[in-house]
C-alpha cells in the first residue's frame, strides 16, 4: 500500500480500515489487542508495532479464543440435542417461540433451530456416544441381552450389551426389523452387530427368554464364541410360575374377569364400588394377576356384598353373580395370600444388582413359593435347567455384574411402543438412534 498522505483524521481512518485490530479514539490510534497508543506519523511505526512479540502473542490468543467460542457453541447445541432426547421431548419444541424466548432470556444463549439439531447435531452426538461405548467395552468380558417384539406386523429385534465387571446399564447396539423371526436371522443379526462394532469381542454370557428360536440361536452363537454361557431370563421364569397359579385357579380367574367387565362398562358402578378399584391384571405384565387376586382376597367381604346387591339383570351382571356364588371362592382367594411374599421377592429380581445378589434373589423367590409346589417346580425347571444358574454360580467374581434377567430390553420395548404409537411410520434407523441416546447409561 502506498504511503498515506493527507490530514491526521484521514490517516487515522485509513489505518483503522486497513488493520482490524486498530481503532480511532479522538486524535489517537489505539491497538485493541495490546491496549496501547501508537505513533502513526510514519507507516513504518505502525508496521513495527505489528511485528513485536507482544502483538503477535495477542493475535494468537484472539484466534484461539474465537476457536474456543465456536467449539463451545457447537457443544452447547449438542448438549441441547442430547438433553431433549434423554428427556423424551420432541425437537419441534425448539421452534416454539414462547419456549425459545424464555430459555434465551434466562441462559442468554441463542437456541439452535429444530432442523439444525436434527440434521446436523444429532449425527455428531450419536457418533460421539458410539465411540465412547466402543472405548469402554472393547476388550472387556461382555454379556448380551436380546429379545424380539411384534407391533402391528413389525418384528423388532433389540440387542443390548454390557460389561460384566461394571454396574452400568447395558448399551443398545442394534435395533433391527426382521423379515422372519427365527434362530438364523437372530444369530446373524447378533454376530454382525458385534463384529461390526468391536475389534476384540469376548462374549461371556447370553441372556434371553425361553422361546425355542432364542434357545436355537444361542446354540448357534456358541460355535462362534468359545465358552459362551446361555441363561434364560429368570424374570420370565417368575411370570411362568405365576401363570401356573392362574391356570390352577380357574374360578378366581373368572371372578376377576367378570368383575372387571362389570366395572369397565359403567361409571356409576365404579362410583358405588365399596373399596378402591382392584389393580386389574394385564397378561403381559408380570405378577399383576396375582396382585389383583390378593387384593380381592383382602376385601372379599365388601366386594361380594356389593356384587349381591347389583340390581341390573344384564348378561355381565349375571356372569359376575354366578362367579361369586362359588362356595370355594373365598377360601381359594385366602389361600393365595401367602403369594404376597413372592410378589415382593419378584420385585427384587427386576432390580440391577451384582450376580451374587441376583442368584440369592432367585433363591428367595423360589423359597417364597413353598406353599405352591406346582409353581415352584415351574420356576426350578428354569433355574436348574440346561440354561440355568448353575453355569454362572461359580463365576460370581469373573462375571460380577452380569444380570440374570432381560428386563432392560423389556423396558426398552415399553419406550419403543410409545414411539410407534406416536409415529407408526418411523424408520427403524431413526428409532435406533433415539433409543440408543435415550437409554445411554450415565
Amino acid at each position: 500500500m502506498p504511503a498515506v498522505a493527507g490530514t491526521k483524521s484521514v490517516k487515522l481512518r485509513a489505518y483503522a480500515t486497513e488493520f482490524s485490530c486498530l481503532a480511532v479514539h479522538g486524535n489517537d490510534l489505539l491497538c485493541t489487542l495490546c491496549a496501547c497508543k501508537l505513533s502513526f506519523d510514519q507507516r513504518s511505526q505502525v508496521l513495527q508495532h505489528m511485528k513485536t512479540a507482544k502483538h503477535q502473542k495477542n493475535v494468537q490468543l484472539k484466534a484461539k479464543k474465537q476457536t474456543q467460542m465456536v467449539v463451545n457453541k457447537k457443544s452447547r447445541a449438542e448438549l441441547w440435542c442430547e438433553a431433549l432426547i434423554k428427556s423424551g421431548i420432541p425437537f419441534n419444541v425448539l421452534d416454539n417461540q414462547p419456549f425459545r424466548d424464555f430459555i434465551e432470556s434466562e441462559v442468554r444463549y441463542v437456541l439452535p433451530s429444530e432442523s439444525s439439531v436434527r440434521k446436523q447435531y444429532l449425527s455428531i452426538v450419536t457418533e460421539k456416544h458410539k465411540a465412547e461405548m466402543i472405548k469402554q467395552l472393547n476388550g472387556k468380558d461382555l454379556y448380551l441381552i436380546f429379545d424380539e417384539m411384534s407391533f402391528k406386523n413389525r418384528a423388532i429385534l433389540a440387542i443390548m450389551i454390557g460389561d460384566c465387571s461394571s454396574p452400568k446399564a447395558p448399551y443398545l447396539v442394534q435395533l433391527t426389523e426382521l423379515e422372519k423371526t427365527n434362530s438364523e436371522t437372530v444369530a446373524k443379526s447378533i454376530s454382525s452387530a458385534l463384529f461390526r462394532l468391536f475389534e476384540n469381542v469376548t462374549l461371556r454370557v447370553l441372556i434371553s427368554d425361553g422361546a425355542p428360536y432364542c434357545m436355537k440361536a444361542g446354540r448357534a452363537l456358541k460355535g462362534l464364541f468359545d465358552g459362551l454361557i446361555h441363561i434364560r431370563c429368570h424374570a420370565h421364569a417368575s411370570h411362568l410360575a405365576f401363570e401356573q397359579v392362574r391356570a390352577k385357579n380357574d374360578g378366581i380367574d373368572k371372578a376377576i374377569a367378570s368383575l372387571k367387565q362389570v366395572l369397565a362398562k359403567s361409571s356409576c358402578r365404579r362410583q358405588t364400588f365399596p373399596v378402591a378399584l382392584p389393580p386389574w391384571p394385564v397378561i403381559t405384565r408380570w405378577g399383576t394377576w396375582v396382585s389383583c387376586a390378593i387384593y380381592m382376597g383382602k376385601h372379599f367381604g365388601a366386594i361380594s356384598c356389593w356384587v349381591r346387591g347389583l340390581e341390573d339383570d344384564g348378561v355381565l351382571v349375571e356372569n359376575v353373580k354366578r362367579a361369586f356364588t362359588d362356595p370355594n371362592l373365598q377360601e381359594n382367594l385366602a389361600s393365595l395370600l401367602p403369594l404376597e411374599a413372592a410378589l415382593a421377592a419378584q420385585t427384587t429380581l427386576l432390580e440391577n444388582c451384582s450376580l451374587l445378589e441376583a442368584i440369592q434373589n432367585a433363591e428367595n423367590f423360589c423359597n417364597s413359593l413353598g406353599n405352591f409346589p406346582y409353581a415352584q417346580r415351574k420356576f426350578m425347571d428354569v433355574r436348574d435347567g440346561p440354561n440355568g444358574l448353575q453355569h454362572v454360580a461359580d463365576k460370581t467374581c469373573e462375571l460380577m455384574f452380569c444380570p440374570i434377567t432381560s428386563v432392560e430390553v423389556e423396558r426398552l420395548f415399553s419406550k419403543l411402543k410409545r414411539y410407534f404409537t406416536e409415529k407408526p411410520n418411523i424408520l427403524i434407523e431413526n428409532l435406533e438412534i433415539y433409543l440408543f441416546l435415550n437409554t445411554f447409561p450415565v
Side-chain angles (χ1 to χ4, degrees):
M1 180 179 175
V4 178
T7 62
K8 181 182 289 188
S9 60
V10 173
K11 281 186 175 183
L12 287 171
R13 286 197 299 272
Y15 285 131
T17 302
E18 182 182 359
F19 302 103
S20 60
C21 60
L22 300 183
V24 178
H25 183 70
N27 293 324
D28 297 321
L29 184 65
L30 304 179
C31 176
T32 56
L33 296 180
C34 304
C36 63
K37 294 180 181 180
L38 302 183
S39 300
F40 58 92
D41 294 330
Q42 300 294 327
R43 177 178 171 78
S44 60
Q45 293 175 307
V46 178
L47 295 177
Q48 185 177 0
H49 171 77
M50 300 290 183
K51 295 177 182 179
T52 60
K54 179 181 179 182
H55 184 83
Q56 293 295 323
K57 183 178 180 181
N58 288 333
V59 169
Q60 293 174 0
L61 288 174
K62 182 183 178 181
K64 185 177 180 181
K65 186 176 180 181
Q66 288 177 338
T67 304
Q68 288 176 341
M69 288 176 66
V70 172
V71 172
N72 188 47
K73 182 179 179 182
K74 287 184 179 180
S75 63
R76 277 193 173 188
E78 292 166 13
L79 289 173
W80 269 105
C81 175
E82 185 178 353
L84 291 175
I85 288 179
K86 283 189 172 291
S87 304
I89 301 174
F91 287 160
N92 58 16
V93 73
L94 295 172
D95 289 338
N96 183 288
Q97 198 57 47
F99 177 81
R100 291 183 68 91
D101 293 342
F102 173 73
I103 296 296
E104 290 174 358
S105 65
E106 292 295 321
V107 302
R108 301 186 183 280
Y109 166 70
V110 179
L111 291 176
S113 66
E114 181 269 343
S115 60
S116 296
V117 171
R118 178 169 46 82
K119 296 177 181 178
Q120 183 178 357
Y121 297 109
L122 181 59
S123 59
I124 296 173
V125 172
T126 304
E127 291 304 318
K128 281 186 176 180
H129 281 68
K130 282 189 176 180
E132 182 183 345
M133 175 191 71
I134 292 170
K135 182 180 178 181
Q136 291 183 4
L137 297 181
N138 204 21
K140 300 290 184 64
D141 289 345
L142 305 179
Y143 64 84
L144 186 146
I145 309 171
F146 72 95
D147 203 353
E148 178 268 343
M149 68 159 282
S150 297
F151 188 85
K152 294 184 178 180
N153 299 322
R154 300 178 73 175
I156 309 297
L157 174 69
I159 302 170
M160 303 184 78
I161 59 173
D163 182 2
C164 292
S165 61
S166 172
K168 279 188 176 182
Y171 301 85
L172 173 66
V173 294
Q174 186 163 303
L175 202 64
T176 308
E177 187 167 358
L178 301 175
E179 293 183 4
K180 293 182 179 180
T181 304
N182 54 44
S183 60
E184 184 179 349
T185 55
V186 170
K188 184 178 179 180
S189 298
I190 292 174
S191 59
S192 62
L194 290 175
F195 291 122
R196 174 173 51 85
L197 289 173
F198 304 103
E199 297 176 359
N200 183 16
V201 183
T202 308
L203 186 60
R204 298 290 305 277
V205 183
L206 196 66
I207 305 109
S208 72
D209 61 23
Y213 74 89
C214 292
M215 297 293 102
K216 192 173 180 180
R219 290 192 291 272
L221 290 169
K222 286 182 179 181
L224 293 175
F225 302 97
D226 293 337
L228 178 63
I229 300 170
H230 186 190
I231 60 176
R232 287 180 63 178
C233 172
H234 280 62
H236 282 85
S238 68
H239 177 61
L240 293 176
F242 285 150
E243 283 296 289
Q244 289 291 308
V245 176
R246 185 168 75 96
K248 290 282 186 179
N249 292 273
D250 187 58
I252 296 176
D253 194 31
K254 289 179 180 178
I256 291 175
S258 59
L259 182 64
K260 182 178 179 180
Q261 288 178 338
V262 163
L263 291 172
K265 298 295 182 180
S266 173
S267 59
C268 295
R269 295 185 191 128
R270 290 196 295 271
Q271 292 173 0
T272 60
F273 198 67
V275 292
L277 291 177
W280 299 119
V282 180
I283 298 301
T284 55
R285 284 188 188 166
W286 302 325
T288 52
W289 186 90
V290 171
S291 179
C292 182
I294 291 172
Y295 184 88
M296 286 181 59
K298 290 180 177 179
H299 302 92
F300 181 79
I303 295 175
S304 61
C305 181
W306 178 83
V307 169
R308 288 195 300 271
L310 291 174
E311 297 178 355
D312 193 348
D313 57 354
V315 175
L316 296 180
V317 173
E318 289 181 2
N319 290 341
V320 73
K321 284 185 174 181
R322 189 182 306 111
F324 274 80
T325 54
D326 182 354
N328 299 320
L329 181 61
Q330 184 174 8
E331 182 181 351
N332 292 338
L333 284 169
S335 69
L336 298 185
L337 293 178
L339 282 175
E340 195 165 13
L343 276 176
Q346 186 196 39
T347 304
T348 62
L349 274 176
L350 309 181
E351 297 174 352
N352 293 327
C353 56
S354 68
L355 177 58
L356 187 63
E357 291 172 326
I359 293 173
Q360 185 59 51
N361 291 338
E363 184 67 25
N364 293 340
F365 177 80
C366 186
N367 293 337
S368 67
L369 296 173
N371 294 331
F372 307 89
Y374 54 92
Q376 190 179 51
R377 281 195 301 272
K378 188 67 175 178
F379 184 80
M380 292 175 66
D381 287 344
V382 176
R383 188 195 64 178
D384 303 329
N387 301 98
L389 296 181
Q390 69 274 15
H391 302 292
V392 294
D394 58 344
K395 296 181 174 63
T396 53
C397 293
E398 302 172 44
L399 312 173
M400 187 173 294
F401 291 100
C402 176
I404 63 171
T405 67
S406 60
V407 294
E408 289 293 343
V409 174
E410 300 297 338
R411 293 178 181 129
L412 182 80
F413 284 156
S414 297
K415 296 179 180 180
L416 187 145
K417 286 180 180 178
R418 179 171 61 84
Y419 279 110
F420 271 150
T421 303
E422 295 173 357
K423 296 181 179 181
N425 297 322
I426 188 172
L427 294 176
I428 198 68
E429 295 82 4
N430 296 335
L431 192 57
E432 180 182 339
I433 291 174
Y434 290 133
L435 290 175
F436 169 72
L437 295 175
N438 185 267
T439 60
F440 194 88
V442 180

